[in-house]
Amino acid sequence: MTRTARRGHRRPGRRPTRSGKPWRGSRRPPRGRSPSSGWRSSRKAGPLCAVTRHVSVDGRTAVAVPGKRPEKGKPEKSKQRAEPEAPCDHLAVVDIDTGKKLWEKPLPNGGSGSTGVNVTMTRGTVVATWGQGSAAYDMTTGKRLWADLNPSTCTDTGFAGGRGLLALRSCGDSADPEFRVQKVAPRTGRTVWTHKVARGIDSVYLASSQPPVIAVATGNDGTIDYLHSLDDRGRNRATIPLPDRRYLHNCDESFSAEVERCSGVVVGERQLYMATKPRDTYEAGLSRRVPNEVVAFDLARQTGEQDEGPQAPLMHGYESSR
């Protein structure tokens, strides 16, 4: 008996990947209709090992995935060896509405067998770095645009995308590195300017690519002490102190290798916004719990003072669980 599909309805298919394994996902629903259920990816080679927070206007995002998983070791004394971990050596672009994989490319030199890959996106370009190199691809076609496969004294730590592209590089001795922040042309890889971070800094994070804002930790405990906004030539524009862990910047909220992770910092063209932590105040011998506030900082003031004076809240009463 032959089954005939109803007109206007097609069974969802599974498009094979380069390795021949299916990437599961339903087709895009008809225009004007929302899908009745989500989708789920299935990769036998291993899980997603890196993602970007950015999504294009047409619903594309990039992920780093393992390629073909190495074969298991032979049994040894009636015990099977632990299953080897596949290196994170492939880059893929996915339609997040349907789960359809649009393309997948192996990283140059196999990503040097790395498991610490960073991925970001900007202006039609997907950029990946894996410590021993970096490469950029066209978001639509997957064509490689440029690559840096022979880092000398400096290595790429990670990139920040979005409205621009910033690279964080670590130079010299790994025990006492010198950090450099570079603005990079996404389509060519050309360095537009370089900002050298002061020596003695323990950690650097990229809070925003455009306008460029970096977060630095001066101590060895990883606590963020300052935010620095940079101008269009990479020079220091404003310094914003972050005393006594007062602000919820979330730059150091995880232990991953990602450098683009200040989720509590919102950067506009002229101002930067952060929330304060709830605090206790004492007035006339009485204690009062003050909910946290959203505070604005001017990106152009060299003193790093807040707009409209110190502790000038833009909103009141936003409770936080932290």
Side-chain angles (χ1 to χ4, degrees), residues 4-288:
T4 304
R6 293 170 55 192
R7 179 173 296 180
H9 294 267
R10 298 179 63 185
R11 296 181 62 189
R14 294 184 180 179
R15 185 174 180 176
T17 64
R18 293 172 64 92
S19 62
K21 302 298 183 181
W23 183 284
R24 296 180 181 175
S26 60
R27 294 183 182 273
R28 185 183 296 274
R31 185 180 298 274
R33 293 176 57 187
S34 60
S36 59
S37 62
W39 54 268
R40 181 181 62 185
S41 67
S42 175
R43 289 187 53 86
K44 293 184 178 180
L48 303 182
C49 46
V51 298
T52 175
R53 67 178 60 187
H54 303 291
V55 179
S56 67
V57 293
D58 56 352
R60 300 182 184 191
T61 193
V63 297
V65 296
K68 185 178 180 181
R69 182 181 293 277
E71 296 181 359
K72 297 180 181 180
K74 296 181 180 180
E76 182 178 350
K77 294 183 180 180
S78 72
K79 292 184 179 180
Q80 185 72 33
R81 292 180 183 175
E83 189 173 85
E85 182 180 4
C88 190
D89 56 1
H90 280 225
L91 185 66
V93 166
V94 180
D95 186 325
I96 62 171
D97 293 326
T98 65
K100 178 182 178 182
K101 184 179 64 175
L102 304 178
W103 55 261
E104 180 178 339
K105 299 288 184 180
L107 294 175
N109 298 337
S112 299
S114 176
T115 57
V117 176
N118 278 199
V119 181
T120 195
M121 293 170 28
T122 180
R123 301 185 181 277
T125 307
V126 181
V127 184
T129 180
W130 54 93
Q132 292 79 29
S134 56
Y137 298 81
D138 182 86
M139 186 185 303
T140 302
T141 65
K143 177 183 177 181
R144 195 170 84 183
L145 302 175
W146 53 267
D148 180 10
L149 306 180
N150 298 298
S152 53
T153 58
C154 298
T155 59
D156 290 328
T157 303
F159 285 84
R163 289 175 289 183
L165 185 63
L166 285 188
L168 176 62
R169 310 200 76 194
S170 176
C171 306
D173 186 2
S174 59
D176 184 23
E178 176 188 353
F179 293 103
R180 298 179 184 178
V181 177
Q182 295 179 329
K183 182 177 178 63
V184 179
R187 305 296 289 183
T188 65
R190 178 179 62 89
T191 300
V192 179
W193 50 253
T194 298
H195 172 82
K196 292 185 178 181
V197 181
R199 296 300 297 264
I201 296 299
D202 179 73
S203 304
V204 178
Y205 302 101
L206 305 178
S208 171
S209 62
Q210 185 61 37
V213 176
I214 64 175
V216 300
T218 58
N220 56 13
D221 61 352
T223 301
I224 301 300
D225 302 295
Y226 297 95
L227 294 176
H228 296 279
S229 67
L230 309 178
D231 64 13
D232 56 3
R233 295 185 180 181
R235 299 171 300 188
N236 193 66
R237 187 181 179 194
T239 299
I240 302 171
L242 305 177
D244 305 324
R245 300 177 181 264
R246 185 182 302 170
Y247 299 98
L248 297 171
H249 49 73
N250 296 338
C251 295
D252 48 5
E253 63 183 353
S254 69
F255 295 96
S256 70
E258 184 184 2
V259 300
E260 186 185 14
R261 65 185 193 203
C262 296
S263 60
V265 181
V266 177
V267 180
E269 290 296 329
R270 194 177 71 88
Q271 294 175 321
L272 176 152
Y273 305 89
M274 282 186 296
T276 63
K277 294 181 180 180
R279 65 188 189 279
D280 294 319
T281 62
Y282 298 90
E283 297 178 2
L286 298 177
S287 174
R288 185 171 68 93

